[in-house]
Amino acid sequence: MIDTLKFTLNRKPLQLKVDGERRLLWVLRSDLGLTGTKYGCGEGICGACTVLINQKASRSCQIPVKDIQGKEIITIEGLAENGRLHPIQKAFIDRDALQCGFCTPGMILNAYSLLLEKPRPTDAEIIRAMNDNLCRSGAHVRIIQAIQTAAQGMRGGRKR
Ligand code: FES
């Protein structure tokens, strides 16, 4: 069934006619060209498809697009503002917290959600929060360092 959905995507209001049963991941990637949201497992296990829905990290491969009616969606393309990288994006680059980069958009958005909830996370809290975002390149130690660096940056000013 075709639904008319209204929501905010990367801070811009959007109206879309779409089959509401389709997964948000495929609407973002195929219909809207936002390919920073990655397809990994398609089963809610890897975290590659993570986006923010009302500021919470969410697995877009598991969400029927009809469920985003009236909500605020942020993808990795929407995190930088006015040409300035978000502190988490900058920290991942500065700390070299990636190798192939496939998992990185999901990692960054999950870290964002964590740092909104816990501005001063311990390493153990970061490990627990990031446990279900899989990285096959073994960058975990640098990812934890990057999130700690980003936490300092976000406490010092820019949150969103
Ligand atoms: S593609 Fe959604 S969790 Fe893996």
Side-chain angles (χ1 to χ4, degrees), residues 5-154:
L5 301 178
K6 289 183 182 178
F7 55 98
T8 304
L9 179 61
N10 295 336
R11 300 183 182 81
K12 293 189 182 123
L14 193 68
Q15 182 169 313
L16 203 61
K17 283 190 188 303
V18 65
D19 177 351
E21 295 301 327
R22 288 179 63 215
R23 301 297 126 160
L24 174 59
L25 169 65
W26 296 114
V27 174
L28 291 171
R29 287 184 58 85
S30 302
D31 298 10
L32 300 170
L34 297 173
T35 55
T37 306
K38 302 300 184 198
Y39 170 62
C41 65
E43 297 178 358
I45 294 168
C46 75
C49 66
T50 300
V51 298
L52 298 170
I53 300 179
N54 290 352
Q55 304 286 334
K56 288 268 185 210
S58 307
R59 307 251 152 136
S60 63
C61 73
Q62 298 298 296
I63 298 171
V65 69
K66 67 184 180 192
D67 289 358
I68 65 164
Q69 180 77 274
K71 295 183 178 166
E72 178 190 36
I73 315 301
I74 302 278
T75 69
I76 194 67
E77 290 89 348
L79 208 55
E81 277 187 277
N82 302 320
R84 281 182 46 227
L85 292 178
H86 188 277
I88 302 176
Q89 293 173 301
K90 186 169 178 337
F92 267 68
I93 292 168
D94 292 349
R95 290 287 190 162
D96 200 19
L98 55 113
Q99 193 167 355
C100 79
F102 191 85
C103 69
T104 307
M107 289 276 182
I108 287 174
L109 293 172
N110 197 34
Y112 177 101
S113 188
L114 166 69
L115 294 179
L116 282 189
E117 257 181 50
K118 287 188 183 292
R120 295 178 188 274
T122 63
D123 284 355
E125 287 170 330
I126 293 173
I127 290 167
R128 198 165 33 251
M130 302 302 291
N131 193 44
D132 292 332
N133 280 70
L134 306 183
C135 166
R136 292 186 172 83
S137 305
H140 296 92
V141 172
R142 295 193 305 275
I143 288 168
I144 294 165
Q145 292 168 345
I147 294 170
Q148 288 292 14
T149 300
Q152 290 167 13
M154 288 172 71

